[in-house]
C-alpha cells in the first residue's frame, strides 16, 4: 500500500510540475458563421500539442469537427476536419419545402465535409481562464468551384 501511495504522489508531483493543464473547454463564436457558436473540448498531449473535438452550428445547422492544435508560446496553429450532417438521412423521403428549409438553414452545406485552418493568439491565465482569437478559412467539399470561406473566431474557456 505504501508503494502505491508513493507512486501516486510521484505521478501527482510530475503532473503538477508540467506547467500546463491537460483539459480545456472553450466556447467560441465566429464570423461569418462557419462555426457559430461552438463548444469544444481539448486534450493536451503535452504543453505544445492538443487534440480536440467540437460541436457547433453553421447558421443554426449542426456541425462537428476534429482538430489538432500546435502551440508556439501563445500563438496557436490549428487544422480541423469535420462535417455538416444531412438530417434527411433519418427521416426517409422529404418534400420540396423540407429540402428548401434545410438548404436555407445549412447555407447549402448539409451532408458536406469540410477542412479548416486557423492561426491565432491564445492567452491562458494561471487560474485556467482562456481567451483566444483566431483567423483562418474553411473549405467545403461541395464541388470543384467551392470557395474558401474566411472567418474570425473569438472564444473564452477554462483549462483544468
Amino acid at each position: 500500500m505504501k508503494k502505491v501511495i508513493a507512486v501516486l504522489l510521484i505521478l501527482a508531483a510530475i503532473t503538477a510540475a508540467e506547467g500546463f493543464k491537460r483539459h480545456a473547454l472553450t466556447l467560441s463564436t465566429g464570423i461569418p458563421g462557419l462555426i457559430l457558436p461552438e463548444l469544444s473540448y481539448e486534450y493536451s498531449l503535452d504543453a505544445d500539442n492538443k487534440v480536440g473535438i467540437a460541436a457547433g452550428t453553421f447558421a443554426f445547422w449542426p456541425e462537428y469537427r476534429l482538430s489538432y492544435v500546435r502551440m508556439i508560446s501563445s500563438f496557436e496553429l490549428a487544422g480541423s476536419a469535420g462535417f455538416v450532417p444531412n438530417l434527411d438521412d433519418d427521416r426517409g423521403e422529404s418534400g420540396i419545402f423540407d429540402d428548401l428549409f434545410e438548404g436555407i438553414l445549412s447555407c447549402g452545406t448539409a451532408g458536406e465535409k469540410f477542412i479548416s485552418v486557423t492561426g491565432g493568439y491564445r492567452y491562458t491565465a494561471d487560474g485556467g481562464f482562456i481567451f483566444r482569437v483566431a483567423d483562418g478559412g474553411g473549405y467545403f467539399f461541395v464541388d470543384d468551384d467551392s470557395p474558401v470561406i474566411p472567418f474570425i473566431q473569438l472564444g473564452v474557456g477554462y483549462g483544468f
Side-chain angles (χ1 to χ4, degrees):
M1 186 65 170
K2 290 181 183 179
K3 290 181 181 179
V4 171
I5 293 172
V7 169
L8 290 175
L9 287 173
I10 291 171
L11 288 175
I14 290 171
T15 302
E18 287 177 335
F20 68 97
K21 303 193 182 303
R22 286 267 180 207
H23 310 274
L25 287 174
T26 308
L27 180 62
S28 301
T29 184
I31 301 168
L34 179 62
I35 35 187
L36 165 73
E38 177 182 73
L39 179 63
S40 63
Y41 166 78
E42 288 180 346
Y43 176 78
S44 296
L45 303 171
D46 57 37
D48 296 328
N49 298 292
K50 303 169 186 313
V51 292
I53 57 173
T57 64
F58 176 58
F60 306 108
W61 201 262
E63 63 86 13
Y64 307 98
R65 67 186 179 97
L66 178 64
S67 301
Y68 169 75
V69 179
R70 172 73 176 166
M71 297 297 299
I72 303 168
S73 187
S74 292
F75 183 69
E76 70 176 37
L77 296 171
S80 301
F83 71 98
V84 179
N86 187 349
L87 300 184
D88 279 344
D89 292 342
D90 296 334
R91 294 184 291 176
E93 291 293 319
S94 63
I96 188 168
F97 292 110
D98 292 338
D99 292 339
L100 179 64
F101 183 69
E102 179 177 316
I104 290 170
L105 286 181
S106 69
C107 296
T109 61
E112 300 301 329
K113 295 173 182 65
F114 67 90
I115 57 171
S116 64
V117 177
T118 62
Y121 173 79
R122 179 186 297 209
Y123 173 75
T124 304
D126 292 336
F129 174 75
I130 298 170
F131 171 77
R132 61 183 293 270
V133 59
D135 188 18
Y139 177 78
F140 284 89
F141 294 97
V142 177
D143 56 35
D144 293 339
D145 295 333
S146 295
V148 173
I149 300 171
F151 65 92
I152 297 171
Q153 193 178 52
L154 300 171
V156 293
Y158 183 72
F160 53 95

